[in-house]
Amino acid sequence: MSTAPQGTHSLAFRVMRLCKPSFPVDPPFRIDLADLFVGEDIFDDPLAAANLPPLLSTQLSKSMDSSDLTYGSRFILQHPSDAMGFSGLLLLPQSFGTIYLGETFCSYISINNNSNFEVRDIIIRAEIQTERQRILLLDTTKSPVESIRASGRYDFIVEHDVKELGAHTLVCTALYNDSDGERKYLPQFFKFVAANPLSVRTKVRTVKEITYLEACIENHTKTNLYMDQVEFEPAPHWSATGLKAHELHPADNSSTVEVFKPPILIRSGGGIHNHLYQLKLASPESAQMKVEGTNILGKLQMTWRTNLGELGRLQTQQILGTPISRKEIELQILEIPSQINLDKSFSVHLNLTNHADRELGPFEVWLSQDSVHGKKNVMINGLQTMVLPQVGAFGSSDFHLNLIATKLGVQKISGITVSDTREKKTFDPLPDVEIFVESD
């Protein structure tokens, strides 16, 4: 859409979008003569096909003669591909079309001299204006166009990578000397809207120490998209591996290099494709880098091409995982004996980690009483409270807790609790752990 300049000017801009041509599809109503006389399954029986009437055989052989260009044969299938409606020609764009985010907007601009006189010393500027910024595409201030003769023109091409959604304005201006020597200024505005070619929906699931990210990509354009690249770039403290449905184990990119990777087809008008990634912390120390309340996983890089090879690329915003509520103290069980006997002491190996940036402790560890389930079947053997020394910032301490089971079968170690004696603060108990108690 163009906004016409005020006043009389010798020059005028004409803006045309440079696009790849398309294949014109004109589905004709074409027939196969055999379908008029026999069923479509006639050729399934070789004997029946051999016994076709002589007249029908003549018509069929004539219909396959490509030299027959009579008016009456124009609706007859000469080749099975004729039913697709492709003429073998290419069609130039008939309209400005839709411009999508991630594509390169390429425009052919012609500045025409519509007067009967020559104009001289033309300074041409072209820029793209969005809601956030202005991008200069062309400026001939340092080397003005010397002249444009009467009924002549000056042509140029500008390109712009579309990185914002919404309204865009292509501003074309010309400063020139008219035939009478008057210096004139010509502004013209061409507006278009950048749409979103696809949407990305993500789901994040965490299973123990592994995080799974599912990304669903949906095509909103009117053409098929061939995805050359859909890669997840993890945040610095994460490592990511792409998972495929036909693979039992994650793909090892370091050991196998694909020479040719076929593109993934996402069909037009709502076609979707899902990608699954497995994320792990790059190192145990990475947990200390997490910021409380946030968990940045990374972002997706996508590259695609359309039917005739036009390139598009997008990068998503940072994808967030499950918000993290950082604990100052973390208590976890490292090892439990494989065999536990009734009424015999066994040792459980535990670890206490300080996630705070300051020294904490001393600590006390004990088994809290559960009034709901009554008496515990697994208890501490010995002193009911264990004292642990201070633990430095981001440090940890291993210790062993002696327990005894008083009942056979599947039992639970529950209620292991730690408290900071200096700050008078008790932390959440350790989650219950099941054990199997057997007799001697």
Side-chain angles (χ1 to χ4, degrees):
M1 180 179 179
S2 171
T3 302
Q6 299 294 327
T8 302
H9 284 275
S10 300
L11 300 180
F13 286 100
R14 291 181 181 177
V15 173
M16 294 158 283
R17 184 184 177 192
L18 281 180
C19 298
K20 294 287 180 68
S22 60
F23 290 106
V25 180
D26 181 20
F29 182 73
R30 294 181 182 268
I31 60 173
D32 191 330
L33 285 181
D35 293 337
L36 298 178
F37 301 98
V38 297
E40 61 181 6
D41 57 348
I42 183 65
F43 295 104
D44 295 341
D45 186 354
L47 183 60
N51 295 329
L52 287 174
L55 178 61
L56 180 57
S57 299
T58 303
Q59 291 293 335
L60 289 177
S61 62
K62 184 179 180 180
S63 67
M64 299 304 292
D65 184 6
S66 59
S67 63
D68 182 13
L69 301 177
T70 61
Y71 182 83
S73 65
R74 65 192 180 98
F75 290 123
I76 298 176
L77 286 178
Q78 305 294 337
H79 190 274
S81 63
D82 293 343
M84 300 176 63
F86 287 112
S87 64
L89 303 177
L90 291 175
L91 180 67
L92 292 175
Q94 302 298 301
S95 62
F96 201 74
T98 306
I99 299 175
Y100 292 106
L101 183 70
E103 294 182 341
T104 299
F105 169 67
C106 189
S107 181
Y108 182 92
I109 301 177
S110 178
I111 180 169
N112 300 278
N113 183 359
N114 300 319
S115 70
N116 297 323
F117 307 96
E118 182 183 46
V119 296
R120 301 186 62 82
D121 298 330
I122 307 104
I123 296 177
I124 305 171
R125 286 173 57 93
E127 63 181 16
I128 288 284
Q129 293 184 3
T130 67
E131 295 181 355
R132 299 181 180 178
Q133 57 182 338
R134 301 173 65 171
I135 303 102
L136 183 64
L137 306 180
L138 176 74
D139 187 358
T140 65
T141 302
K142 295 183 178 180
S143 56
V145 178
E146 185 177 349
S147 66
I148 301 178
R149 61 180 175 80
S151 301
R153 71 176 190 269
Y154 177 79
D155 302 336
F156 57 94
I157 295 175
V158 294
E159 292 184 352
H160 169 64
D161 292 332
V162 181
K163 298 180 179 180
E164 293 184 39
L165 289 171
H168 288 62
T169 303
L170 175 61
V171 182
C172 299
T173 60
L175 188 64
Y176 64 97
N177 290 333
D178 211 343
S179 58
D180 55 1
E182 181 183 358
R183 195 69 169 164
K184 289 188 175 181
Y185 176 71
L186 167 68
Q188 276 187 260
F189 307 89
F190 303 88
K191 297 181 180 180
F192 60 91
V193 177
N196 204 341
L198 47 83
S199 60
V200 180
R201 299 187 297 273
T202 59
K203 294 181 181 179
V204 179
R205 297 288 185 273
T206 301
V207 180
K208 295 184 179 179
E209 299 298 324
I210 301 176
T211 298
Y212 293 95
L213 169 65
E214 179 186 355
C216 176
I217 302 175
E218 182 176 357
N219 181 3
H220 294 302
T221 71
K222 296 181 180 179
T223 61
N224 294 335
L225 298 182
Y226 299 88
M227 308 301 293
D228 291 330
Q229 175 192 33
V230 181
E231 293 185 359
F232 182 75
E233 293 186 357
H237 51 279
W238 290 96
S239 63
T241 305
L243 302 179
K244 296 181 181 179
H246 59 82
E247 293 178 344
L248 297 178
H249 302 285
D252 187 0
N253 296 330
S254 60
S255 61
T256 304
V257 178
E258 294 183 342
V259 177
F260 173 74
K261 185 177 181 181
I264 297 171
L265 170 62
I266 305 182
R267 299 193 178 276
S268 60
I272 61 173
H273 196 275
N274 293 299
H275 297 263
L276 182 63
Y277 300 92
Q278 176 182 288
L279 281 69
K280 294 182 179 180
L281 289 173
S283 62
E285 292 78 13
S286 299
Q288 300 176 7
M289 300 171 59
K290 297 180 182 178
V291 180
E292 185 173 358
T294 64
N295 185 11
I296 297 177
L297 301 179
K299 52 192 175 183
L300 281 170
Q301 290 276 7
M302 297 169 289
T303 304
W304 68 88
R305 293 184 183 273
T306 58
N307 289 334
L308 289 171
E310 290 179 290
L311 180 64
R313 58 175 64 89
L314 275 181
Q315 176 180 282
T316 65
Q317 295 180 344
Q318 295 286 3
I319 299 173
L320 303 180
T322 305
I324 299 173
S325 56
R326 188 177 63 182
K327 297 180 180 179
E328 288 185 333
I329 292 298
E330 181 182 6
L331 187 64
Q332 57 182 340
I333 293 179
L334 300 180
E335 185 181 3
I336 297 177
S338 58
Q339 182 176 357
I340 299 175
N341 295 323
L342 180 67
D343 294 333
K344 287 193 175 181
S345 177
F346 63 94
S347 178
V348 176
H349 185 191
L350 296 101
N351 173 268
L352 186 147
T353 303
N354 178 10
H355 292 301
D357 56 359
R358 67 186 188 281
E359 187 180 60
L360 296 178
F363 301 97
E364 288 185 350
V365 180
W366 76 94
L367 257 62
S368 61
Q369 297 298 320
D370 190 349
S371 59
V372 176
H373 298 91
K375 183 179 178 182
K376 289 181 177 293
N377 296 321
V378 179
M379 301 176 293
I380 292 180
N381 185 31
L383 295 176
Q384 297 301 299
T385 301
M386 173 177 284
V387 179
L388 299 178
Q390 293 179 335
V391 179
F394 303 115
S396 64
S397 174
D398 288 8
F399 64 96
H400 290 79
L401 193 63
N402 291 323
L403 303 177
I404 188 170
T406 60
K407 192 174 181 180
L408 294 172
V410 178
Q411 306 300 331
K412 290 183 179 180
I413 302 176
S414 61
I416 298 180
T417 307
V418 61
S419 64
D420 189 325
T421 58
R422 184 177 61 182
E423 296 187 1
K424 308 297 183 183
K425 187 175 183 179
T426 301
F427 303 96
D428 293 335
L430 189 71
D432 293 352
V433 179
E434 290 187 345
I435 60 173
F436 182 77
V437 181
E438 52 187 323
S439 59
D440 294 340

